[in-house]
Amino acid sequence: MDVEEGVCVFCLDLLPQHIKLKQLRIIVIFIISLGILLSCENGSNSDTDSIVVKISIKDTSINNMDLVYVPPGVFKSGLASITDTIKYGYYIGKYEVTNSQFAGFLTRALETGLIYASDSAFICNYPGDDLVSGGQYRIRSSDNKINYRNGQVYMDSLYGNHPAVSVTWYGAKYFCNMYGFDLPSEREWEKAARGNTYFWYPWGNQIYITYANYYLSNDPFETGTTPVGFYDGKAHNGFKTNNAISAYGCYDMAGNAWEWTKDYWSCDIPYHTGKGGGYHYHTPAFLQAYYVSCYGPSTFPEIDMNDAADGFRVVLHTQQLK
């Protein structure tokens, strides 16, 4: 365990694959308790400090998914930085879901009959909700990173650690359903990104090409995704990055993949919102932590549309550990 600048970082090494979320509960409770004790010793208060205790757990039920803990308390919300409160703690993906993780999901979902493949697309039978009728919806279309042929899912191993993109909201939702996660709400996402700060971006109020992957940022992977966690303050193949970590320990919450949330644009428009901006055509204005966008209400494309930069990260609520 490393302790520096009042931030406690606790990581679980790789656990046996048979450990499930219920068995992880005791370990998580212990980690949370330890973090609270350490934060008290440092004289910090989670309701006022942007970072007090940063707890990282590794849920090995799905390809070493890294999750960080966001404690209950206040945060700044929206363009006006209004003080808001989330009264529960939760875990959120440290990184965006990767091609490797999503390809593993597709393989398993096809094997179990949760989804099926049709031509060059993956399809689910969505049961419907208050705004969307039940029916067949696309999860993702095949491309040169993940594709389907001869009854198998293939992934380009060069991009295994890049975020999965070209994912529809239904693809993100079904991924979460299979592994016991949720998609973050807009409020959960924004708190994890900026904490109780007035920052425009997860790291501060200024952005340069060394902080995030966005349109014409001239990173080594232009024009495409960068590996998750690429902007970590290190030099990669001669490209020096700044550490673009968020308030509670997440990476790529500005740029790279545009991230789906669980929220609808409005109570009567059946399109979900996205956060964080992407590599494809978004300029820095779209990467600000409070910015929210959606397909609609003016465009009204198909319900299961996706952009080339659409991806997601997961949330695990503490009640899911019970």
Side-chain angles (χ1 to χ4, degrees):
M1 179 170 62
D2 301 321
V3 180
E4 57 184 59
E5 298 182 359
V7 180
C8 170
V9 182
F10 192 103
C11 295
L12 292 182
D13 292 330
L14 186 64
L15 298 175
Q17 289 291 331
H18 67 274
I19 292 182
K20 305 297 183 182
L21 290 178
K22 288 184 178 179
Q23 294 167 293
L24 190 62
R25 181 188 179 200
I26 296 175
I27 300 173
V28 172
I29 292 173
F30 168 75
I31 296 171
I32 295 171
S33 300
L34 177 61
I36 292 171
L37 287 173
L38 286 171
S39 68
C40 290
E41 289 178 2
N42 290 330
S44 298
N45 185 312
S46 62
D47 280 354
T48 57
D49 294 348
S50 62
I51 304 177
V52 177
V53 181
K54 184 177 66 184
I55 303 171
S56 178
I57 68 169
K58 187 168 288 187
D59 164 28
T60 59
S61 66
I62 158 97
N63 295 338
N64 287 342
M65 179 75 74
D66 285 327
L67 305 172
V68 298
Y69 182 67
V70 181
V74 299
F75 70 104
K76 295 296 184 288
S77 174
L79 175 62
S81 295
I82 297 170
T83 299
D84 196 356
T85 302
I86 295 180
K87 296 182 179 180
Y88 54 87
Y90 56 95
Y91 297 89
I92 192 167
K94 184 175 183 179
Y95 308 108
E96 296 155 333
V97 171
T98 66
N99 283 317
S100 177
Q101 292 164 340
F102 201 79
F105 153 72
L106 290 173
T107 298
R108 183 177 173 187
L110 287 167
E111 291 173 348
T112 59
L114 182 65
I115 65 172
Y116 65 93
S118 176
D119 296 326
S120 60
F122 301 97
I123 308 294
C124 70
N125 287 308
Y126 185 65
D129 56 44
D130 292 342
L131 291 184
V132 177
S133 300
Q136 297 177 344
Y137 296 98
R138 289 173 295 176
I139 279 181
R140 187 186 190 279
S141 298
S142 294
D143 62 13
N144 61 343
K145 307 297 190 302
I146 300 176
N147 59 72
Y148 181 80
R149 61 180 184 272
N150 300 324
Q152 287 187 302
V153 176
Y154 291 88
M155 183 199 68
D156 187 336
S157 60
L158 293 177
Y159 296 93
N161 199 38
H162 287 235
V165 290
S166 296
V167 177
T168 72
W169 183 86
Y170 299 93
K173 176 64 174 174
Y174 268 63
F175 179 99
C176 291
N177 288 352
M178 172 168 281
Y179 296 113
F181 297 113
D182 286 326
L183 285 172
S185 67
E186 291 175 19
R187 294 171 70 247
E188 289 169 341
W189 192 99
E190 187 170 352
K191 179 173 181 178
R194 70 195 301 203
N196 193 30
T197 74
Y198 292 89
F199 290 165
W200 293 348
Y201 303 99
W203 56 83
N205 290 328
Q206 301 295 324
I207 186 170
Y208 307 100
I209 62 173
T210 54
Y211 276 102
N213 178 12
Y214 53 92
Y215 181 60
L216 298 182
S217 59
N218 296 316
D219 63 77
F221 298 88
E222 189 84 25
T223 54
T225 56
T226 48
V228 296
F230 180 80
Y231 295 88
D232 59 359
K234 300 176 183 178
H236 303 280
N237 296 324
F239 184 82
K240 181 67 174 69
T241 67
N242 287 91
N243 191 15
I245 196 168
S246 79
Y248 293 102
C250 299
Y251 284 91
D252 296 307
M253 298 198 86
N256 218 12
W258 181 257
E259 300 180 23
W260 289 112
T261 75
K262 69 190 300 180
D263 294 321
Y264 279 119
W265 180 259
S266 72
C267 61
D268 58 354
I269 298 176
Y271 296 100
H272 290 87
T273 55
K275 298 280 284 183
Y279 76 90
H280 189 35
Y281 52 75
H282 293 136
T283 60
F286 292 90
L287 275 62
Q288 296 178 89
Y290 55 79
Y291 189 85
V292 182
S293 189
C294 176
Y295 290 93
S298 60
T299 52
F300 294 112
E302 296 182 18
I303 294 294
D304 56 353
M305 75 298 171
N306 65 270
D307 182 76
D310 287 345
F312 66 104
R313 74 181 68 222
V314 302
V315 156
L316 178 66
H317 295 103
T318 52
Q319 64 265 29
Q320 293 172 283
L321 296 171
K322 297 178 181 179

